[in-house]
């Protein structure tokens, strides 16, 4: 990280305007969440198996993020201790595995339902903290947790008449949320020790190396629409969105990050309707609203911004 001289030695340097910084941070967060909400559309438009989408997203993201880090000079003198290597590797594996289950869920349920289920992730993180660090959650947190999982059961409608694979899709979305929670734990251990852009680049490199052995190269994108969707996921939904998120985390307040983070599921539900004509049933709306309200209440009460890897 570049060293900044004390203000007294730089009399001509402009003083940041807190209000302007906050407005910019909010704009960056909203833009990132809008982009994130359209990921499912491009995954489905690619026509590729989930393993292929993960591999190409990692490959394109790795190349572009490594170039960006080189351009910014972040690789100069970069070194990692053994514990950092372990956490980066585990974070990468859980992150890209989370993508696999997320992309699978898109095809088995819908973009909107998958995204809403995915928002139980903060509560899975709470449960992980209880097991790993023996932290005792507050009664308010437990109330949010109970409401979210009640909403999940209502949304899934286990006794309802669904198409083949619906419940498997909900389970895949839940698995993705669990892996995302694990990624958050590994990434939090690296906070303040490695630049987030470098962590992201390393995650993509490791993901590409792991998933190259699982990708189906006999089923590659051929139509211009499919190729365009894959390239967009790698450059726009990975590299560009990462940079927007990092800018938002640095400039926006915790409450703004929590509130505007819910642009993501709203956009995903809108994409379902506009692109595929899918409308949630009343029961699904009830379950989804319960999950989002519980997550919103919990996020606003945290008082500290979570360390979030990208979706």
């Amino acid at each position: 990280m570049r060293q900044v001289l004390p203000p007294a030695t730089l009399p001509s340097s402009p003083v940041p305007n807190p209000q302007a910084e906050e407005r910019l941070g909010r704009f960056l967060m909203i833009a990132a969440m809008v982009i994130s909400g359209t990921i499912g559309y491009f995954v489905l438009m690619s026509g590729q198996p989930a393993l292929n989408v993960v591999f190409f997203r990692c490959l394109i993201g790795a190349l572009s993020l490594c170039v960006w880090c080189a351009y910014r000079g972040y690789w100069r003198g970069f070194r990692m201790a053994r514990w950092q290597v372990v956490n980066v590797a585990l974070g990468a594996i859980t992150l890209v595995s989370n993508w696999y289950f997320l992309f699978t869920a898109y095809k088995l349920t819908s973009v909107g339902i998958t995204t809403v289920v995915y928002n139980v992730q903060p509560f899975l993180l709470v449960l992980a903290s209880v097991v790993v660090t023996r932290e005792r959650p507050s009664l308010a947190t437990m109330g949010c947790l109970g409401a979210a999982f009640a909403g999940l059961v209502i949304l899934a409608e286990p006794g309802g008449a669904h198409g083949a694979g619906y419940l498997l899709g909900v389970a895949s979305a839940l698995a993705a949320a669990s892996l995302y929670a694990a990624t958050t734990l590994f990434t939090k251990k690296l906070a303040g020790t490695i630049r987030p852009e470098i962590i992201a680049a390393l995650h993509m490199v490791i993901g590409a190396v792991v998933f190259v052995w699982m990708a189906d190269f006999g089923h590659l994108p051929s139509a211009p629409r499919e190729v365009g969707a894959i390239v967009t996921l790698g450059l726009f939904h990975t590299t560009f969105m990462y940079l927007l998120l990092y800018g938002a985390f640095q400039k926006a307040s915790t409450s703004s990050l929590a509130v505007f983070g819910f642009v993501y599921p709203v956009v995903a539900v809108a994409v379902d309707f506009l692109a595929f004509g899918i409308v949630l049933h009343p029961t699904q709306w009830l379950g989804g609203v319960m999950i989002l309200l519980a997550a919103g209440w919990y996020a606003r009460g945290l008082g500290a911004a979570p360390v979030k890897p990208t979706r």
Side-chain angles (χ1 to χ4, degrees):
M1 187 176 291
R2 292 178 296 176
Q3 186 177 11
V4 180
L5 296 176
T9 65
L10 296 170
S12 60
S13 60
V15 178
N17 183 329
Q19 293 181 340
E21 291 282 289
E22 175 67 20
R23 284 196 297 269
L24 177 58
R26 291 178 179 180
F27 172 78
L28 295 175
M29 185 64 178
I30 292 172
M33 292 299 98
V34 170
I35 293 172
S36 187
T38 63
I39 289 176
Y41 172 80
F42 286 92
V43 169
L44 296 178
M45 289 301 99
S46 73
Q48 289 289 289
L51 290 172
N52 282 19
V53 179
V54 173
F55 168 68
F56 285 114
R57 188 181 183 190
C58 287
L59 179 63
I60 298 171
L63 292 173
S64 53
L65 282 167
C66 284
V67 169
W68 173 260
C69 289
Y71 170 74
R72 299 290 294 180
Y74 298 153
W75 295 116
R76 295 195 198 106
F78 174 67
R79 297 287 187 276
M80 284 197 298
R82 184 178 300 175
W83 70 269
Q84 291 172 315
V85 172
V86 171
N87 280 279
V88 167
L90 292 174
I93 292 171
T94 52
L95 176 63
V96 297
S97 298
N98 139 72
W99 287 352
Y100 168 73
F101 283 103
L102 188 66
F103 299 164
T104 299
Y106 287 149
K107 297 179 180 181
L108 293 174
T109 56
S110 71
V111 174
I113 289 176
T114 296
T115 305
V116 172
V117 173
Y118 196 66
N119 274 270
V120 304
Q121 180 271 331
F123 303 110
L124 298 175
L125 192 58
V126 170
L127 294 178
S129 297
V130 171
V131 174
V132 176
T133 64
R134 305 295 181 183
E135 293 181 13
R136 296 184 61 182
S138 65
L139 289 177
T141 297
M142 292 301 294
C144 291
L145 182 64
F149 279 102
L152 177 61
V153 172
I154 294 173
L155 176 69
E157 296 181 309
H162 302 291
Y166 177 83
L167 292 180
L168 180 59
V170 172
S172 294
L174 198 55
S178 301
L179 288 163
Y180 187 72
T183 305
T184 302
L185 290 176
F186 293 127
T187 305
K188 284 179 69 175
K189 293 181 180 180
L190 299 167
T193 66
I194 303 177
R195 289 197 66 93
E197 296 89 344
I198 289 181
I199 295 175
L202 293 175
H203 280 174
M204 295 303 99
V205 170
I206 294 171
V209 170
V210 171
F211 273 78
V212 70
W213 304 104
M214 293 180 273
D216 180 7
F217 292 106
H219 186 192
L220 295 175
S222 55
R225 184 182 70 173
E226 295 174 348
V227 174
I230 289 292
V231 172
T232 301
L233 284 167
L235 290 178
F236 192 62
H237 291 90
T238 304
T239 305
F240 183 61
M241 191 179 75
Y242 267 48
L243 299 178
L244 289 177
L245 280 173
Y246 297 147
F249 291 161
Q250 292 171 358
K251 298 178 183 298
S253 64
T254 298
S255 59
S256 293
L257 294 174
V259 170
F260 292 117
F262 290 95
V263 171
Y264 170 46
V266 171
V267 171
V269 171
V271 166
D272 253 356
F273 174 71
L274 295 174
F276 307 113
I278 297 175
V279 180
L280 299 183
H281 300 148
T283 305
Q284 292 173 325
W285 272 114
L286 174 61
V289 169
M290 287 178 66
I291 292 172
L292 296 181
L293 286 178
W297 182 23
Y298 173 71
R300 286 184 64 84
L302 280 179
V307 179
K308 291 186 177 180
T310 192
R311 295 168 173 82

